Amino acid sequence: MIKLCLADNHPVVHYGMKSYFSDNPQISFAGVVNNLDNLLDTLGKKSVDVAVIDLELEGLTSISSVKSLVKDFPDTKVIIFTNLAEQIYAPNALKAGVSAYVHKSAKMEELENAIKKVNEGEVVFSEAVKKNLALLNKGKKSERLYRKLSSREIEVLRYLSEGKKNKEIAKLLDLNEKTISTYKLRLLTKLHVTNLVDLVNKAKTLDIV
């Protein structure tokens, strides 16, 4: 029996997942939580084989948090299950030690298969993500652009695109406000724009938001 923990902000996702797996003889729920603190509490107190986590989970502010989680709970395989674009976020998730990345537009059968595969020690990512991780420079200009961005730059760009100020982003990522300003300047340079409006529009073009 695979012991599963679901970490997602939305009750409808909790209900849907529990309903889908209710009669599954291979999978049972060790926990269903709606924020990072409760996830850490569950992983610390219970035996969890696979954790299915949304990157937009409350309290999960950066990929560094995911990396720490993977390191602190090595017996638990992590699957990212999110609406955030795979081509942007999955390569950094893979680097952080995540075992699978499943977009929420996928069928539940795909998530079920991913759960079973990672429990057996497999890593489940699309071929496109694997190619991106290998830094292949072929493809569209937009694909080349987001490959230039670090995981931290992508996080800062995401928060800027949500309308957050430097001070708010600094608090979320536990960084100095001056550091956020530096990241913003790097983003302007790397994405070949000169102002915040164009930067946000570029983020939308790259599916970062």
Side-chain angles (χ1 to χ4, degrees):
M1 180 74 75
I2 301 170
K3 287 166 284 187
L4 187 71
C5 180
L6 171 64
D8 193 285
N9 295 338
H10 306 292
V12 67
V13 176
H14 298 179
Y15 177 80
M17 288 267 289
K18 286 191 286 187
S19 296
Y20 180 82
F21 289 114
S22 60
D23 297 322
N24 194 305
Q26 294 176 270
I27 296 171
S28 66
F29 281 90
V32 176
V33 300
N34 61 4
N35 61 59
L36 181 61
D37 287 341
N38 288 341
L39 172 61
L40 294 174
D41 186 59
T42 299
L43 294 179
K45 292 179 179 178
K46 297 183 179 180
S47 175
V48 177
D49 298 310
V50 179
V52 176
I53 304 171
D54 189 347
L55 278 180
E56 297 181 285
L57 179 71
E58 181 184 339
L60 189 67
T61 57
S62 73
I63 202 70
S64 297
S65 301
V66 177
K67 189 174 182 178
S68 297
L69 192 149
V70 170
K71 182 181 177 182
D72 292 342
F73 302 98
D75 294 331
T76 300
K77 306 296 184 184
V78 173
I79 294 176
I80 297 299
F81 184 54
T82 185
N83 276 320
L84 294 176
E86 182 188 49
Q87 70 270 28
I88 300 292
Y89 294 93
N92 287 319
L94 181 53
K95 287 186 216 175
V98 166
S99 296
Y101 194 105
V102 181
H103 195 270
K104 282 187 174 179
S105 62
K107 294 180 179 179
M108 285 300 294
E109 287 85 353
E110 290 182 47
L111 178 61
E112 180 182 358
N113 288 334
I115 291 168
K116 291 175 180 177
K117 285 180 178 179
V118 302
N119 188 61
E120 294 296 321
E122 292 187 46
V123 176
V124 183
F125 283 84
S126 70
E127 286 304 313
V129 169
K130 292 173 184 175
K131 287 179 180 178
N132 288 345
L133 195 64
L135 299 176
L136 297 179
N137 291 316
K138 298 177 181 178
K140 298 177 183 177
K141 185 178 179 182
S142 62
E143 292 172 344
R144 295 199 299 273
L145 277 176
Y146 71 68
R147 285 192 193 118
K148 293 180 181 178
L149 304 182
S150 69
S151 57
R152 186 66 85 191
E153 286 165 348
I154 289 172
E155 289 161 358
V156 170
L157 182 53
R158 175 180 150 204
Y159 288 130
L160 286 171
S161 300
E162 291 173 358
K164 290 181 170 59
K165 305 298 183 185
N166 288 13
K167 189 174 182 179
E168 294 176 272
I169 300 170
K171 187 175 180 180
L172 280 167
L173 298 179
D174 195 24
L175 294 172
N176 187 285
E177 190 174 343
K178 189 175 179 181
T179 304
I180 301 301
S181 296
T182 301
Y183 278 121
K184 187 189 289 186
L185 285 173
R186 285 185 195 168
L187 286 164
L188 289 168
T189 301
K190 287 187 175 184
L191 297 181
H192 312 300
V193 292
T194 57
N195 58 71
L196 184 58
V197 172
D198 288 344
L199 188 63
V200 169
N201 287 334
K202 182 73 74 171
K204 291 174 181 177
T205 301
L206 298 177
D207 286 333
I208 284 174
V209 292

